[in-house]
């Protein structure tokens, strides 16, 4: 059971899967002097409160390896005795902690709702589903029942695979400054009964969703009249005896009681995406199209070696003298061969580039960095936000 942190005595009552009697529509009706009937709404949510602390620590440590979703998108393995811990899931990279020492092996950044197989010392120990903390509960309504000191509660809460589905627990509490707290825990349902309430006390009721990864925001409703006032239960205080009746013939008739005031307007609390955000697959999102800027890309020249002509190789020539037609001596050489002459030539400018005299350059479009708070999903920038509370007519 969840431990209450107040200094008052705390007792725990049973939780029921169904509510006794049909719940009446609307919020608390004030000023009704007649006894409340079973099923009459005596408190309805007005303001949501901060979530209760996570109760993942309530799981007792065992002397065998244990794996659990300990925080949002986090799995922690304990009692591994220093052996290697491996976590893997289909379609994801294998995560390893080969030397965890004496501390728990913690794996973060997992995919909520995905099943991970856990292996310790090379032996699989089971599978664990990575979780997100539950979302906020809302719309708490508390009604009377036919059983004295017992009320019925119902509330709204969206449970998904990523937050634990039907395994989500709900901590149901009735707190009073003049009486001991009453607490119950239910699982997989959104109704409960609390018994053993003090008919003379005013209670504030809270329902907090939780899983091993954390707790969601609570829903709260408060009473403005006690069960004794609602059901006509006699007060526990000692009454002063009435003075003897004086019989008078001219006694003034007792005036009729004033009519009860008309019920005030009723409201309910809903959770919606903030202005400018749309809901996509259960998340509040807003998007921005990519923006770009121009940059100059420089490319160094490249060169090739090509043949630009020939020259006569005279290394093996033989020369001698001959006489021309006038009898003059003439030197004549024969033999040798022609060989190619090569030169280094700059290559042509690549397509899309221009030559600036020292390099080839071109202008390219580069995507800007994502704006603050946005992530890149591959097609656009996306920003997410949590739903906000809004009060609307019931």
């Amino acid at each position: 059971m969840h431990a209450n942190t107040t200094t008052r005595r705390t007792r725990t009552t049973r939780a029921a899967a169904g509510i006794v009697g049909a719940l009446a529509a609307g919020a608390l009706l004030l000023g009704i002097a007649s006894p409340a009937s079973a099923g009459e709404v005596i408190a309805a949510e007005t303001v949501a409160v901060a979530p209760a602390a996570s109760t993942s620590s309530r799981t007792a440590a065992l002397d065998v390896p244990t794996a659990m979703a300990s925080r949002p998108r986090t799995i922690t393995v304990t009692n591994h005795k220093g052996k290697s811990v491996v976590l893997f899931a289909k379609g994801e990279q294998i995560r390893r902690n080969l030397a965890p020492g004496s501390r728990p092996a913690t794996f973060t950044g997992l995919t909520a709702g995905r099943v991970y197989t856990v292996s310790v010392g090379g032996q699989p120990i089971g599978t664990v589903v990575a979780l997100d903390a539950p979302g906020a509960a809302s719309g708490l309504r508390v009604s009377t029942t036919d059983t004295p000191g017992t009320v019925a509660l119902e509330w709204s809460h969206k449970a998904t695979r990523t937050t634990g589905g039907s395994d989500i627990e709900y901590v149901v509490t009735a707190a009073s400054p003049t009486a001991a707290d009453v607490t119950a825990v239910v699982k997989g349902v959104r109704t409960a009964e609390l018994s053993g309430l003090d008919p003379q006390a005013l209670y504030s009721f809270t329902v907090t969703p939780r899983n091993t990864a954390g707790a969601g925001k609570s829903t709260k409703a408060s009473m403005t009249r006690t069960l004794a006032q609602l059901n006509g239960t006699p007060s526990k205080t000692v009454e002063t005896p009435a003075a003897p009746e004086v019989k008078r013939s001219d006694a003034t008739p007792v005036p009729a009681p004033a009519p009860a005031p008309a019920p005030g307007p009723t409201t309910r609390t809903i959770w919606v995406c903030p202005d400018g955000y749309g809901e996509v697959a259960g998340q509040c999102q807003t998007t921005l199209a990519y923006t770009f800027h121009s940059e100059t890309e420089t490319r160094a020249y490249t060169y090739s070696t090509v043949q630009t002509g020939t020259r006569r190789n005279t290394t093996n020539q033989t020369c001698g003298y001959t006489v021309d037609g006038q009898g003059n001596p003439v030197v004549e050489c024969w033999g040798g061969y022609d060989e190619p002459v090569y030169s280094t030539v700059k290559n042509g400018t690549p397509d899309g580039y221009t030559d600036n005299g020292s390099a080839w350059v071109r202008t390219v479009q580069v995507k800007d960095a994502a704006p603050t708070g946005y992530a890149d999903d591959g097609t656009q920038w996306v920003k997410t936000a949590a739903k906000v509370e809004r009060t609307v007519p019931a």
Side-chain angles (χ1 to χ4, degrees):
M1 278 298 176
H2 179 62
N4 191 285
T5 57
T6 66
T7 58
R8 299 187 300 276
R9 182 171 58 88
T10 301
R11 60 177 179 267
T12 304
T13 187
R14 65 185 179 86
I19 292 181
V20 177
L23 293 173
L28 173 63
L29 304 180
L30 302 177
I32 298 178
S34 60
S37 60
E40 180 174 335
V41 177
I42 62 172
E45 177 187 33
T46 55
V47 179
V49 299
S54 170
T55 58
S56 60
S57 61
R58 70 188 185 279
T59 302
L62 302 176
D63 195 30
V64 295
T66 303
M68 66 182 299
S70 56
R71 296 194 302 272
R73 306 194 178 200
T74 299
I75 290 176
T76 299
V77 182
T78 57
N79 297 312
H80 46 65
K81 304 185 186 304
K83 297 178 181 179
S84 63
V85 181
V86 178
L87 200 72
F88 55 92
K90 185 177 180 181
E92 292 193 6
Q93 64 179 2
I94 297 176
R95 294 168 168 85
R96 299 179 175 88
N97 188 338
L98 301 182
S102 60
R103 303 181 64 181
T106 301
F107 300 87
T108 61
L110 307 179
T111 303
R114 180 156 292 179
V115 178
Y116 290 85
T117 299
V118 182
S119 176
V120 174
Q123 297 297 321
I125 66 169
T127 59
V128 180
V129 178
L131 299 175
D132 278 329
S138 63
L140 174 61
R141 292 161 65 89
V142 185
S143 301
T144 57
T145 69
D146 290 325
T147 305
T150 300
V151 295
L153 302 90
E154 71 168 353
W155 59 91
S156 298
H157 181 247
K158 184 177 181 181
T160 65
R161 175 178 173 81
T162 60
T163 58
S166 60
D167 288 330
I168 292 177
E169 293 182 340
Y170 299 94
V171 181
V172 184
T173 301
S176 171
T178 61
D181 292 355
V182 179
T183 300
V185 178
V186 297
K187 181 177 180 180
V189 296
R190 294 166 184 80
T191 60
E193 283 186 353
L194 290 181
S195 302
L197 302 183
D198 184 347
Q200 310 299 329
L202 289 173
Y203 288 92
S204 293
F205 301 91
T206 57
V207 176
T208 305
R210 72 184 184 189
N211 59 22
T212 59
K217 195 173 184 180
S218 304
T219 177
K220 178 179 180 180
S222 299
M223 299 172 64
T224 58
R225 289 190 295 160
T226 66
L227 291 175
Q229 292 170 323
L230 288 163
N231 295 323
T233 303
S235 173
K236 293 182 179 179
T237 58
V238 177
E239 297 183 1
T240 303
E245 181 180 357
V246 178
K247 295 184 179 180
R248 295 176 53 187
S249 59
D250 59 345
T252 304
V254 178
T266 60
T267 61
R268 63 189 178 95
T269 301
I270 62 174
W271 294 85
V272 298
C273 289
D275 293 340
Y277 288 77
E279 186 168 343
V280 180
Q283 281 192 325
C284 298
Q285 292 186 354
T286 185
T287 61
L288 289 176
Y290 290 146
T291 58
F292 299 83
H293 64 275
S294 298
E295 291 185 2
T296 299
E297 182 179 280
T298 301
R299 186 171 174 181
Y301 292 146
T302 59
Y303 298 85
S304 298
T305 300
V306 297
Q307 182 178 343
T308 56
T310 61
R311 66 180 178 183
R312 190 71 176 175
N313 188 319
T314 60
T315 302
N316 297 319
Q317 279 188 339
T318 300
C319 297
Y321 288 93
T322 61
V323 178
D324 63 12
Q326 286 77 32
N328 299 316
V330 176
V331 177
E332 184 175 346
C333 296
W334 57 91
Y337 60 92
D338 292 331
E339 63 182 7
V341 175
Y342 295 94
S343 300
T344 301
V345 179
K346 183 173 68 177
N347 293 329
T349 304
D351 291 341
Y353 288 82
T354 58
D355 192 335
N356 68 0
S358 59
W360 294 315
V361 295
R362 69 173 179 178
T363 301
V364 294
Q365 295 297 309
V366 179
K367 183 170 64 176
D368 295 328
T372 302
Y374 286 79
D376 192 335
D377 71 353
T379 60
Q380 60 190 342
W381 290 318
V382 179
K383 186 177 183 180
T384 60
K387 290 186 177 181
V388 296
E389 179 182 338
R390 186 165 297 169
T391 301
V392 298

